Amino acid sequence: MAGKNDDLRTPQKRCATILGYPISIFFIVVNEFCERFSYYGMRAVLVLYFKYFLGWDDNFATTIYHTFVALCYLTPILGAIIADSWLGKFKTIVYLSIVYAVGQIILSVSAVNDITDKDIDGTPDNMALHIALSMVGLLLIALGTGGIKPCVAAFGGDQFQEHQEKQRSTFFSIFYLSINAGSLLSTLITPILRGQKCGIYSEQQCYPLAFGVPAVLMVVALVVFIIGSRMYNKTAPQGNILVKVCKCIGFALKNRFRHRSSQYSKRAHWMDWAEEKYDKLLIAQVKMVLKVLFLYIPLPMFWALFDQQGSRWTIQATTMNGDFGFFVLQPDQMQIVNPILILVLVPIMDSVVYPLISKCNLNFTPLRRMTVGMFLAALAFVAAALVQIEIDKTLPTFPSGTVSQAKFINMLNKQLDIKAGPKEFTLQPFTASDDYLTSDTPLNLTLGPDAAYKLNLPMGNRSTVVITRDGPQKPCPTIFSDLKSKPDQGANAIRFLNGFASDLNVTVGEKDFGAIYTNNVSRYELVPQGDAKFHIKNNGQKCIYSQKLGFGSSFTLIIQPNFTTETNCGKSIRPVMDIEPNTVHMAWLIPQYFLITAGEVVFSVTGLEFSYSQAPSNMKSVLQAGWLLTVAVGNIIVLIVAEAAKLPDQWAEYILFASLLVLVCIIFAIMAYFYTYTDPAKIESQFDQMEPEEKKKEKSVEMERRSSDSSSDEEVNKQSRI
């Protein structure tokens, strides 16, 4: 019986305190820190997991990412209803945290490629299983994180007595700080974990570790929360006000529809049709809520842009240079800029910007602040578009299915005059042509005065034509396939072309290029940014060749016939750049992150403050649910726009989103202009102060009106019979 009635306890006087604070809140704060670390850490690497592990393209990875985020912000409504109407906050947090932790564990397991890599080639053999596990894990995570979202902060507030208002206020500040601390640390740490190499049979990007650490933190969060169980004040479920509001609105609509005939007397507001069943105070409170919810209609567009930091902007960073000198920033670590700027901008806005605006006698109302925040977010996407245009200038153009591209390398120890189709050029010994030649037909190739060939280059692909000698005199071309896309995640694709008279073996780190035969090229190996040391072996002798690598480049390293294993073997190796490294620096992303974060501070913080001030005392949770719903709808908008627009260029999609937000911003500004601020406490007090006689008089008038409506009903029924 004790377990069954846990949530029926009223606040206990025996709760121990430290410095005036209940000990129980420390368990809640630690729980929130670990949970936020778990959520944001997993989310930081999620879109890259979709793109590089599951092999989805950018658009589909973005679609699934935003579907997941939308679910995370839809499920809080379900969690609030379960907590307030059935289980109570404590049990809801415990049960859904278990679901949450199981989801994190399943997601971690789904990232282990070795579980289906039967042929030990580093690639999962049953990708469908990994996808299924990932989707089950994400579904459970969305249910868990969303379900506990409306419960944890409110449960923390329940731990304080009425005389502890100051301590309660401080608790919510600490609670918010724990959220940002968890987000900040996880966004920094999990991308580092992802960048590690791990695996049983073959080493890969360590997504199991990147997801596994957040899973462990979620288990820790659950254990810490349960440890404090005996210290908590657990209030009984008292019914969910959201359900009551929905029922009241539903009854008003139904009653209004039933009395739609012109014979019925009109009422001042359509919600007044609920007076037959609900008291006037509740109806007045619902009117205030609906007034604010109407203003929420344009808000999802802001979140449609804001949440693309974890999808489109992260993918954008993968094509940039992350070398900051003292450290190298991973693409998914750029998201750390947001929480850092929040910690900086919030006090600046509150202590400097807003007071300055006030001194200038400008009426910078909350709704005007929100309008400015939306405009700043639109500017952020304009900045993202400008950066994307610069990135696109540096990206290689790969051939489509109807054309081919070819580069030529002269491995002869003499100058060679080449005519390839209409183009004529000269290659010095052991050099390559500057650019790829594009052709949509078989290529007529002339090598010097005597050698002519017709090359059938593979359509839709890049190739390298290596020119060696066939017999004593005649030059001969050999076609080798090149990369079909730019190397991912800032890695560099390296291969060797062996012009030496004997076979060679090359290694770099733990990567082995295998045996490279004379006049042949090795397979490509992905090598990280930095000063790569290649160990080249020949008959037991070895030399080390160093090559400085950036982000996302591709090289063919030509080993010349005069190769030697002496210490300075670099003189006999010539690098040929097939794909240039990323040259646009990640620092250029900072302006767009600054604009979007400034917009968030002005929009989100002000929006929550505005909603709280305009909400009736017992319906603040209803507006909180409405606010979270705008985030969910915003992520759904991303899915619709990204799938419907199908724009060929990413910069154009950024401009489209910016334009849509500017349009919505104008609409919101017009709506805000006509909005009249209310004082919910004042309105509620008017109902509390009504004299009994006035209530009786009001009741008498109500009975007369109902009698009149009843007479009208009879008249309508008579006419319907006729």
Side-chain angles (χ1 to χ4, degrees), residues 16 113 130 242 272 328 366 369 392 447 452 506 518 580 596 603 607 672-673 682 688 694 702 713:
N113 66 297
H130 291 273
L242 178 61
D272 292 334
V328 175
R369 293 183 194 177
D392 290 345
L447 304 174
V506 181
T518 302
E580 292 186 359
I596 199 80
F603 175 88
Y673 179 79
K682 186 176 180 181
D688 293 337
E694 292 178 357
E702 180 64 26
D713 280 340

Side-chain angles (χ1 to χ4, degrees), residues 395-416:
L395 297 179
T397 303
F398 291 92
S400 62
T402 58
V403 297
S404 62
Q405 291 181 342
K407 174 179 279 192
F408 299 86
I409 296 179
N410 177 18
M411 292 299 289
L412 303 179
N413 197 17
K414 67 174 185 177
Q415 178 178 300
L416 187 63

Side-chain angles (χ1 to χ4, degrees), residues 103-162:
Q104 288 278 33
I105 293 169
I106 292 175
L107 182 62
S108 303
V109 173
S110 74
V112 180
N113 66 297
D114 295 311
I115 61 176
T116 62
D117 186 14
K118 296 179 181 178
D119 53 6
I120 316 178
D121 63 351
T123 304
D125 299 326
N126 187 359
M127 187 58 76
L129 176 62
H130 291 273
I131 293 173
L133 288 173
S134 300
M135 295 304 101
V136 170
L138 289 175
L139 187 62
L140 294 177
I141 291 170
L143 179 61
T145 188
I148 68 175
K149 191 183 293 290
C151 301
V152 180
F155 187 69
D158 290 344
Q159 306 309 304
F160 294 88
Q161 306 294 329
E162 292 182 4

